Amino acid sequence: MLIFTLRRVNLFVFTIALLTVLSFSLNFLFPGDPLINMSGQISQTPEQTAQLTQQYSANSNLFVQYYSYLKQVFSGDFGVSMANGQPIFDDVVSLLPATIELSIAALFVAFFIGVPLGFVAALNHRKATDNGILAFAMFGYSIPAFWLALVAILIFSINLAWLPSSGQISLVYEIEQKTGFLIIDILLSDSPYQWQAFQDATLHMILPCLVVALAPATVFIRLARTAMLEVLETPYIRAIKAKGLSDSQILINHAIRNALVKVIRDVGLQFANLITIAMVAEVIFNWPGIGRWLIESIYQRDYTAIQAGLLVLSSFIFFVHIVIDLLYAALNPLARESSYGAR
């Protein structure tokens, strides 16, 4: 397990290095002066220009410039926004937790809805229940996220008035930001309206969470169904049946665990797709996350914010991928022998 972990850490470091090279190259690919693209300072006095030239080693070769860029990035200096002049690092720190909160909630919803339905479909193989669940999975996967979000707002927010249509919490609740994760901040707060704020934040999360979770849930249905069918056809399950164990004993004690291991293997692959859908949902539901901020930066041609946002989001997605890979290896010792991408 130690060697497997070191291999994944090595891969993580190598991938982060490649991402920083890509991010650095965007300074020269975007229109305008690369020094302005890196720093974000559009209006510069001669003294500021000289200081930034020295800070980013703009008069040196590309390798020295890249090294200076790395020092800025890893010291938490992403420059300032071309749109509002605010430090980009502060925006990233304040907005990223909202995206993580929504994505993790959606991933849990997708997993705990999709996997049981997939198992039910496998246990009713080629029956009406199996066909119905597969039809739901195909229908759910085919629905565009933006269309589903608009329909959900129309039905549940406008017509039925059951759920809020935008935002993370009502403005009447003032919650001090401690961790950036709203639910945790509410639980840590000493507000006399803590429970009401928690209920309000939960109601605000339901619609965007379900919209983001639908497509990954349908993928989990198909993965879980296939995994369970494969497990039920293995020789050791047949041997257990021959010994006289009941179907429920076989399912609970042997089949579910082994099928879950196969599903967990692909959770990381679905997370990148989930983040993409979350970015669309953040725009439609006015969710204060880094995805909406990044899309607004693209509209405003805020090049400094675009490269910082891409670097942070890509690093986060790959970090989650590595963590799930380690979890899968911990559950399945055979996976520790395979090289990355072998499966």
Side-chain angles (χ1 to χ4, degrees), residues 161-178:
W162 287 353
L163 298 168
S165 63
S166 66
Q168 201 176 13
I169 190 171
S170 297
L171 296 176
V172 294
Y173 300 106
E174 294 184 1
I175 303 298
E176 182 184 359
Q177 187 173 5
K178 296 179 180 176

Side-chain angles (χ1 to χ4, degrees), residues 225-243:
R225 177 181 178 274
T226 304
M228 180 58 80
L229 287 176
E230 289 178 357
V231 169
L232 293 178
E233 292 298 322
T234 50
Y236 74 88
I237 293 291
R238 294 177 182 172
I240 293 171
K241 280 184 179 177
K243 290 182 178 179

Side-chain angles (χ1 to χ4, degrees), residues 216-342:
T218 60
V219 176
F220 286 140
I221 288 175
R222 302 177 75 89
L223 290 173
R225 177 181 178 274
T226 304
M228 180 58 80
L229 287 176
E230 289 178 357
V231 169
L232 293 178
E233 292 298 322
T234 50
Y236 74 88
I237 293 291
R238 294 177 182 172
I240 293 171
K241 280 184 179 177
K243 290 182 178 179
L245 267 68
S246 65
D247 289 342
S248 59
Q249 286 177 315
I250 294 172
L251 190 67
I252 295 172
N253 297 331
H254 301 279
I256 288 180
R257 182 183 181 280
N258 290 297
L260 272 179
V261 170
K262 295 175 181 289
V263 176
I264 289 174
R265 181 184 60 186
D266 295 302
V267 170
L269 298 177
Q270 294 305 314
F271 195 74
N273 183 37
L274 188 144
I275 287 288
T276 306
I277 300 173
M279 291 174 66
V280 176
E282 285 181 7
V283 174
I284 296 175
F285 289 101
N286 196 27
W287 188 266
I290 197 171
R292 190 190 66 165
W293 173 79
L294 181 57
I295 291 176
E296 289 176 352
S297 299
I298 294 172
Y299 280 125
Q300 296 169 345
R301 299 185 180 182
D302 189 345
Y303 302 127
T304 316
I306 292 172
Q307 58 177 307
L310 290 176
L311 180 62
V312 170
L313 269 183
S314 304
S315 303
F316 173 63
I317 291 171
F318 196 72
F319 173 75
V320 172
H321 200 155
I322 292 292
V323 170
I324 292 174
D325 233 17
L326 292 174
L327 177 62
Y328 173 64
L331 295 174
N332 182 15
L334 294 176
R336 300 170 198 169
E337 302 300 326
S338 63
S339 58
Y340 194 81

